[in-house]
């Protein structure tokens, strides 16, 4: 018997026959993109699901990030985290803005508000934190600093689909929040994304910007981009939305089983979302400490030999990549927590179709070392 390969994540897809009626509808409508019927439906349905009033769909999360910065006319320096997927900082370079890296809190893996103030200069206009692993940032601490210094806050909430914090959607915090519906995320439309925004006027501006800047047939109000979600993606999103609660429930079961199975393993530290978080269990990150018999990278390699494709999210740090490492704030001495965590982190496989026997195989490999 060949052993199953366990990727770190596997996209959750509906049975194909359930998608056929949606495709038939698109073929009948002959409306393929540009605010079609499924696009309209999905914006409404997701807004309702999250409990937010305004949301604009995008072709992917990166275009949503880039457009969010333009929506608020951000410029100059933006304070952000080095501990994220590279798209967070890339969206700043695409807008000619300078990322200023601030260290993370080693318990939440998120931007540490206590370190933000020291990084503010007269050129600072915004803070772009990430709800890493869907663990809520210190949203109050960040907002207090933003209010004091007149800065905007744009959350990269790509990991935070469906996460609730203190009994409301985490997406209600900050000026804007960005989601990704990439294949690897908790909710996928193959590729896709969205901006959550507070009012109709902002949504209007976003809708112009994602459609080349067209305000009407003859008026172009800004050098916008083509960031529109198409009807195929939106239709799939409508179907996926009927399944996502079940998918998150399954992830929670797996999360519990990992916590039980790894609780006593010496040298493995389990991470916890902050209190009052209803988590989506998008990832299962652990820290491989010096008490563990082998190094993080050796464990990663051993798991690969066992066909378990754990991933080092996030390693390397964004601030260590060639296009960022020359920045003054990218100096490793400025980012000791992020440096330390990125050398110890390992994300274990978690996805709805992972069965308990697979999960036990993962635990056995780690515990057996
Ligand atoms: C996935 C991801 C993105 C980018 O989203 P895409 O939809 O793939 O463009 C941005 N930021 C973070 C933190 C992500 O994980």
């Amino acid at each position: 018997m060949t052993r199953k390969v366990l990727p770190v994540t596997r996209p959750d897809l509906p049975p194909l026959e359930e998608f056929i009626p949606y495709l038939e509808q698109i073929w009948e409508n002959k409306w393929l993109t540009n605010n079609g019927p499924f696009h309209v439906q999905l914006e409404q349905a997701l807004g309702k699901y999250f409990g937010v009033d305004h949301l604009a769909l995008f072709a992917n999360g990166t275009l949503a990030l880039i457009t969010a910065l333009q929506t608020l006319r951000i410029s100059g320096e933006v304070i952000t985290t080095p501990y994220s997927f590279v798209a967070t900082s890339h969206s700043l370079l695409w807008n000619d803005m300078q990322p200023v890296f601030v260290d993370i809190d080693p318990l939440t893996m998120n931007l540490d508000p206590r370190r933000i103030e020291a990084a503010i200069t007269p050129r600072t206009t915004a803070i772009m934190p990430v709800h890493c692993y869907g663990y809520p940032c210190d949203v109050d601490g960040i907002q207090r600093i933003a209010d004091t210094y007149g800065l905007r806050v744009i959350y990269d909430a790509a990991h935070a689909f469906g996460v609730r914090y203190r009994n409301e959607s985490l997406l209600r915090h900050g000026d804007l929040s960005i989601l990704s519906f990439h294949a690897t995320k908790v909710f996928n439309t193959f590729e896709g994304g969205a901006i959550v925004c507070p009012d109709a006027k902002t949504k209007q501006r976003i809708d112009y910007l994602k459609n080349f800047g067209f305000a009407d047939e003859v008026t172009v109000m800004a050098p916008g981009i083509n960031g529109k979600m198409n009807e195929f993606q939106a239709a799939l999103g409508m179907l996926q939305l009927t399944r996502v609660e079940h998918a998150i429930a399954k992830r929670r079961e797996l999360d519990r089983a990992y916590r039980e199975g790894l609780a006593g393993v010496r040298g493995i530290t389990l991470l916890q979302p902050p209190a009052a978080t209803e988590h989506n269990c998008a990832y299962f990150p652990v820290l491989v400490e010096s008490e563990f018999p082998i190094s993080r990278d050796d464990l990663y390699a051993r798991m690969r030999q066992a066909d378990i494709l754990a991933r080092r999210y996030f390693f390397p740090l964004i601030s260590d990549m060639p296009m960022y490492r020359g920045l003054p704030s990218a100096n490793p001495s400025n980012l000791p927590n992020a440096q330390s965590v990125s050398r110890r982190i390992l994300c274990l496989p978690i996805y709805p179709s992972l069965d308990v026997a697979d999960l036990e195989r993962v635990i056995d490999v780690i515990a057996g070392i």
Side-chain angles (χ1 to χ4, degrees):
M1 202 183 85
T2 54
R3 193 166 53 189
K4 237 197 277 179
V5 176
L6 305 182
V8 73
T9 186
R10 177 170 278 149
D12 191 40
L13 282 176
L16 183 56
E17 62 271 18
E18 288 184 27
F19 193 43
I20 301 295
Y22 290 77
L23 290 176
E24 286 170 348
Q25 190 65 55
I26 296 173
W27 259 246
E28 199 174 300
N29 295 342
K30 306 231 175 340
W31 192 343
L32 309 186
T33 186
N34 288 50
N35 206 30
F38 282 115
H39 186 284
V40 172
Q41 275 181 49
L42 186 61
E43 283 194 344
Q44 282 169 359
L46 281 174
K48 189 153 168 249
Y49 178 77
F50 296 135
V52 300
D53 294 330
H54 301 280
L55 169 154
L57 294 172
F58 275 79
N60 60 60
T62 302
L63 286 167
L65 278 170
I66 290 171
T67 304
L69 290 158
Q70 297 190 356
T71 302
L72 302 182
R73 300 181 174 85
I74 305 299
S75 65
E77 295 176 4
V78 177
I79 289 172
T80 190
T81 169
Y83 192 76
S84 180
F85 181 61
V86 69
T88 312
S89 286
H90 276 6
S91 71
L92 298 172
L93 293 198
W94 274 85
N95 278 309
D96 253 332
M97 297 163 197
Q98 185 172 325
V100 175
F101 297 112
V102 163
D103 205 7
I104 58 170
D105 178 325
L107 291 179
T108 65
M109 312 295 151
N110 287 327
L111 206 52
D112 185 346
R114 290 165 302 190
R115 295 167 189 268
I116 291 177
E117 236 169 328
I120 296 173
T121 76
R123 298 189 66 229
T124 310
T125 57
I127 308 172
M128 187 183 260
V130 179
H131 299 299
C132 191
Y133 310 132
Y135 294 3
C137 288
D138 178 352
V139 289
D140 295 338
I142 289 169
Q143 194 59 51
R144 252 193 312 274
I145 294 165
D147 290 343
T148 304
Y149 290 89
L151 307 177
R152 310 309 288 264
V153 181
I154 299 178
Y155 280 106
D156 181 339
H159 299 175
F161 189 97
V163 174
R164 293 174 60 80
Y165 184 48
R166 300 185 304 208
N167 288 320
E168 61 170 11
S169 173
L170 182 58
L171 305 172
R172 298 181 70 87
H173 292 280
D175 294 289
L176 301 173
S177 288
I178 275 68
L179 289 159
S180 166
F181 311 144
H182 183 259
T184 53
K185 306 297 206 272
V186 165
F187 170 91
N188 87 78
T189 57
F190 283 24
E191 297 248 21
I195 303 179
V196 173
C197 65
D199 56 76
K201 187 157 168 264
T202 309
K203 173 163 161 57
Q204 174 101 97
R205 179 164 164 80
I206 296 169
D207 286 344
Y208 295 161
L209 286 171
K210 77 178 189 187
N211 187 31
F212 311 96
F214 277 109
D216 61 46
E217 229 175 275
V218 292
T219 314
V220 179
M221 47 67 76
I225 200 154
N226 181 359
K228 303 183 303 290
M229 177 181 276
N230 67 46
E231 284 293 279
F232 182 94
Q233 293 170 288
L236 181 61
M238 284 305 293
L239 179 53
Q240 295 285 47
L241 195 53
T242 65
R243 305 161 38 83
V244 72
E245 279 296 303
H246 181 256
I248 292 174
K250 189 71 211 296
R251 285 173 176 277
R252 288 190 179 136
E253 274 172 36
L254 296 166
D255 183 280
R256 261 196 303 277
Y258 266 136
R259 287 181 192 281
E260 275 168 32
L262 291 170
V265 180
R266 200 176 124 86
I268 297 291
T269 302
L270 307 180
L271 304 184
Q272 292 277 10
T277 305
E278 291 164 59
H279 192 221
N280 61 11
C281 302
Y283 298 85
F284 196 83
V286 303
L287 295 173
V288 184
E289 312 287 7
S290 53
E291 297 79 51
F292 195 72
I294 61 175
S295 72
R296 188 276 308 267
D297 287 345
D298 287 345
L299 175 59
Y300 165 82
R302 286 267 203 108
M303 293 178 81
R304 285 193 84 84
Q305 283 163 12
D307 286 331
I308 300 166
L309 310 182
R311 293 291 299 268
R312 293 165 290 189
Y313 292 143
F314 288 99
F315 169 85
L317 294 177
I318 298 175
S319 51
D320 286 334
M321 294 176 182
M323 62 297 288
Y324 298 102
R325 66 185 172 213
L327 294 169
S329 64
N331 194 315
S333 66
N334 183 44
L335 308 165
N337 293 332
Q339 288 285 345
S340 162
V341 168
S342 105
R343 282 194 291 266
R344 292 181 287 147
I345 198 77
L346 198 59
C347 285
L348 307 182
I350 189 164
Y351 44 88
S353 60
L354 186 73
D355 56 45
V356 175
D358 297 333
L359 182 138
E360 277 164 4
R361 214 176 97 208
V362 179
I363 293 172
D364 287 347
V365 168
I366 298 172
I369 287 171

